[in-house]
């Protein structure tokens, strides 16, 4: 059994597509269970934020699992496979582990070092645990990724660039406009980060 990641992020897809593919609440639970029910998948977890949707899975066959997970993402999002496939990335075995560590450390975030992703990964793991879709392999991997992410933030100060995309946006707005308190604003964006 090997770890597989199939996903898309702000690096590979436009915001409008990320909004369509993003899942939460009951839809996220359904996606978790649908992926888990595939015979090639032993464990699964989904990280779904405004900047990424990633399915982490422990699988026994690479190509068949990639196809199954990609098709489930298309079905759950209502996005055609033809439109979706050009934006997906796939990481397998060591590259999947490296990717999760990079995400947890904030190296793959829109704002380098952004720390909110640690909480989002922790929440994804908790949901997968509660739903019974994660086992010892993903649990141990994600716990280690959380430790690596926390350590990278603590020891390097990588998150000093901005606590979040919102914080960076506010800082840039104040630089350009002066004090923003009391000003009117148009909110643009995807999900809770908008």
């Amino acid at each position: 059994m090997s770890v597989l990641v199939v996903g898309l992020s702000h690096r590979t897809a436009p915001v409008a597509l990320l909004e369509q593919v993003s899942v939460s609440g009951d839809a996220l639970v359904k996606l978790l269970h649908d992926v888990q029910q595939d015979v090639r998948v032993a464990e699964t977890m989904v990280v779904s934020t405004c900047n990424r949707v990633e399915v982490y899975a422990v699988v026994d066959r690479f190509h068949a699992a990639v196809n199954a997970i990609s098709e489930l993402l298309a079905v759950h999002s209502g996005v055609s496979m033809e439109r979706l496939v050009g934006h997906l990335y796939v990481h397998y075995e060591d590259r999947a582990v490296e990717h999760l560590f990079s995400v947890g450390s904030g190296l793959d975030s829109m704002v380098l070092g952004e720390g909110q992703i640690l909480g989002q990964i922790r929440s994804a793991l908790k949901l997968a645990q509660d739903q019974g879709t994660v086992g010892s392999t993903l649990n141990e991997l994600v716990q280690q990724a959380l430790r690596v992410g926390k350590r990278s933030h603590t020891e390097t100060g990588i998150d000093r660039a901005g606590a979040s995309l919102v914080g960076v946006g506010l800082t840039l707005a104040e630089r350009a406009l002066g004090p923003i308190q009391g000003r009117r604003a148009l909110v643009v964006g995807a999900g809770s980060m908008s």
Side-chain angles (χ1 to χ4, degrees):
M1 297 299 249
S2 299
V3 178
L4 169 70
V5 180
V6 178
L8 66 161
S9 74
H10 65 280
R11 295 186 189 281
T12 65
V15 170
L17 182 59
L18 283 170
E19 287 177 334
Q20 281 184 278
V21 178
S22 180
V23 290
S24 61
D26 292 341
L28 177 54
V29 171
K30 175 114 175 72
L31 177 59
L32 270 172
H33 286 289
D34 286 353
V35 172
Q36 179 70 36
Q37 288 176 1
D38 190 280
V39 296
R40 294 155 286 234
V41 176
E43 303 177 35
T44 192
M45 176 185 89
V46 177
V47 175
S48 182
T49 73
C50 57
N51 286 322
R52 76 182 61 253
V53 177
E54 296 178 337
V55 177
Y56 291 82
V58 176
V59 301
D60 65 355
R61 294 191 319 217
F62 174 77
H63 292 292
V66 169
N67 290 337
I69 292 169
S70 299
E71 289 172 12
L72 284 168
L73 282 171
V75 167
H76 279 266
S77 65
V79 174
S80 72
M81 197 58 181
E82 293 77 28
R83 182 168 172 230
L84 187 62
V85 75
H87 300 282
L88 291 175
Y89 48 82
V90 174
H91 301 296
Y92 190 60
E93 295 182 334
D94 292 348
R95 290 281 302 135
V97 172
E98 181 182 323
H99 178 75
L100 179 57
F101 285 14
S102 178
V103 169
S105 296
L107 296 173
D108 194 54
S109 294
M110 191 176 285
V111 174
L112 184 65
E114 182 266 318
Q116 287 182 330
I117 191 66
L118 282 173
Q120 293 163 334
I121 292 170
R122 189 175 292 110
S123 294
L125 176 61
K126 173 94 170 77
L127 179 64
Q129 289 169 334
D130 292 347
Q131 295 299 316
T133 64
V134 67
S136 62
T137 301
L138 275 182
N139 185 58
E140 290 174 24
L141 174 61
V142 175
Q143 293 293 347
Q144 185 63 29
L146 291 169
R147 286 189 291 275
V148 166
K150 184 174 179 175
R151 185 174 177 191
S152 70
H153 283 82
T154 301
E155 293 183 10
T156 68
I158 192 171
D159 53 355
R160 278 184 246 153
S164 69
L165 184 58
V166 173
V168 171
L170 290 172
T171 299
L172 291 173
E174 284 189 331
R175 281 188 200 153
L177 304 171
I180 59 173
Q181 186 173 358
R183 289 188 178 236
R184 298 180 77 179
L186 170 64
V187 178
V188 179
S192 62
M193 295 293 281
S194 59

